[in-house]
Amino acid sequence: MTDLIETMLPAIEIELQKQVSRLDVPRTKAFHDMLTYHMGWTGEGAGTVATGKRIRPLLVLLITAASGNEIGNPPGGSWEPALPAAAAVELIHNFSLVHDDIQDNSEKRRGRPTLWIKWGMPQAINAGDGLFVLSNLAATELISTYSSEKVIRAIQILQNTCLELTRGQYLDMSYEKRSDLGVEDYWPMISAKTAALLSCCCALGALLGGADEPTIDAYRSFGHYLGLAFQVQDDILGIWGNEAITGKSIASDLVEGKKSLPVLVGIGKKGRFADRWAQGPIKADEVQEIAKLLASEGGYAYTHEMAKQMTDMAINSLREADPQGAAGDALRDLTDKMIRRES
């Protein structure tokens, strides 16, 4: 399992660098430098922490290899022909991060100054746009191996996902000033903002691996519930996580007023937590007390149960998809690490 992923990761970086190199020309070299910085390849702090874990492209490649192949597709469960799709989803992910950092006024990304802090908002917006266009160009390179019908379908999956991401971001930002939100408002937002891209990765991998329609649907469902479980777990870590492990202050979610699932549960209880929340921003020196209060009113228990339910549904969908071979084993192991993480 480790050997397979460690073979895929360098191939993903090479493919990403190839796609981003479209902008490496004399007049826009500085623009190219912005993108290589954001992708974690250059600048102070460059390296594996700055690049991120590349979970999304790994899902594409593992599922491509684990799905089996139909006539006319690459033989023997090969994952290399799907590299342009793997690059496309990672570029989409990073375009969304650049824009999120601006919209959320975030000064740091993976421990480094964000693009808008280093180069200003107008140029950072343009860099995000560039990453989006590069993702589309990467997807078109699938035509060298796959049928035109399959490539068109893959691009449709990608574009529908991008539209879903904008819906999720709209909901996320619109929720910031609303005081009438309940738990029922949470799921549509994270389904679009977090789960949509993971679901896209899984559907793409199955499509390019030659899976039949029921199997593609099972993988799509797996990605959806994996994304929900991942986000709910993130909400838990954002309040009750071990700061030494997560690498970020556990004060941030409460201090920033993030309407995460446990917070919405607490607000819905209309108890002491809801009263304190209504009084205004929580201060850093209150966080431990408020986190304990929220847990005592059921915020932790409910959220933990939802994480378990989403995890079970993801695992059931993965079992239905029935991934094969070493890639299937690696996919199961990667899934386990994602949904049982501590950071």
Side-chain angles (χ1 to χ4, degrees), residues 37 49 118 137 147 174 216 226 268 283 303:
Y37 171 84
V49 173
K118 286 181 68 68
L137 289 170
S147 69
S174 70
I216 292 173
L226 179 65
K283 298 176 183 176
T303 306

Side-chain angles (χ1 to χ4, degrees), residues 131-205:
L131 288 167
F132 176 72
V133 175
L134 288 169
S135 74
N136 284 281
L137 289 170
T140 65
E141 294 189 0
L142 292 168
I143 199 66
S144 65
T145 307
Y146 297 95
S147 69
S148 57
E149 291 82 6
K150 185 157 288 189
V151 174
I152 289 172
R153 186 173 174 191
I155 290 173
Q156 286 174 330
I157 291 171
L158 285 165
Q159 295 309 305
N160 283 327
T161 300
C162 289
L163 188 60
E164 198 66 10
L165 289 174
T166 64
R167 290 192 183 106
Q169 185 68 353
Y170 166 79
L171 289 173
D172 191 22
M173 292 190 295
S174 70
Y175 285 2
E176 291 176 2
K177 296 183 180 180
R178 288 180 55 183
S179 58
D180 60 340
L181 297 172
V183 169
E184 68 278 3
D185 298 301
Y186 173 84
W187 299 106
M189 187 270 286
I190 69 161
S191 292
K193 186 175 172 67
T194 302
L197 189 53
L198 289 177
S199 182
C200 166
C201 294
C202 297
L204 277 177

Side-chain angles (χ1 to χ4, degrees), residues 7 13 70 78 80 102 114 189 194 230 244 247-248 262 287 318 325:
T7 300
E13 295 307 308
E70 63 186 13
S78 174
E80 289 90 343
I102 296 167
T114 50
M189 187 270 286
T194 302
F230 186 88
K248 70 173 186 177
V287 164
L318 184 60

Side-chain angles (χ1 to χ4, degrees), residues 32 45 147 203 231 237 249 269 272 321 338:
H32 177 255
S147 69
Q231 184 58 59
L237 294 174
S249 171
K269 295 288 186 179
R272 290 174 56 205
M338 287 181 67

Side-chain angles (χ1 to χ4, degrees), residues 141-319:
E141 294 189 0
L142 292 168
I143 199 66
S144 65
T145 307
Y146 297 95
S147 69
S148 57
E149 291 82 6
K150 185 157 288 189
V151 174
I152 289 172
R153 186 173 174 191
I155 290 173
Q156 286 174 330
I157 291 171
L158 285 165
Q159 295 309 305
N160 283 327
T161 300
C162 289
L163 188 60
E164 198 66 10
L165 289 174
T166 64
R167 290 192 183 106
Q169 185 68 353
Y170 166 79
L171 289 173
D172 191 22
M173 292 190 295
S174 70
Y175 285 2
E176 291 176 2
K177 296 183 180 180
R178 288 180 55 183
S179 58
D180 60 340
L181 297 172
V183 169
E184 68 278 3
D185 298 301
Y186 173 84
W187 299 106
M189 187 270 286
I190 69 161
S191 292
K193 186 175 172 67
T194 302
L197 189 53
L198 289 177
S199 182
C200 166
C201 294
C202 297
L204 277 177
L207 173 70
L208 299 177
D212 59 22
E213 289 302 321
T215 304
I216 292 173
D217 287 341
Y219 274 120
R220 183 183 290 110
S221 179
F222 160 66
H224 172 74
Y225 290 115
L226 179 65
L228 297 184
F230 186 88
Q231 184 58 59
V232 173
Q233 181 70 6
D234 197 61
D235 287 353
I236 293 173
L237 294 174
I239 296 176
W240 296 287
N242 183 334
E243 184 174 338
I245 296 175
T246 64
K248 70 173 186 177
S249 171
I250 60 171
S252 61
D253 280 6
L254 289 173
V255 171
E256 292 174 7
K258 182 179 176 182
K259 293 186 176 72
S260 60
L261 183 57
V263 166
L264 291 175
V265 171
I267 291 172
K269 295 288 186 179
K270 298 182 179 179
R272 290 174 56 205
F273 175 82
D275 290 342
R276 174 60 191 87
W277 187 268
Q279 292 171 13
I282 291 171
K283 298 176 183 176
D285 59 5
E286 297 179 274
V287 164
Q288 287 191 345
E289 178 185 350
I290 299 300
K292 288 179 182 178
L293 176 61
L294 180 57
S296 72
E297 294 185 357
Y300 177 85
Y302 179 88
T303 306
H304 186 269
E305 176 59 27
M306 288 299 100
K308 182 179 183 302
Q309 287 188 26
M310 296 304 110
T311 295
D312 289 345
M313 294 173 81
I315 291 172
N316 287 339
S317 295
L318 184 60
R319 188 176 295 118

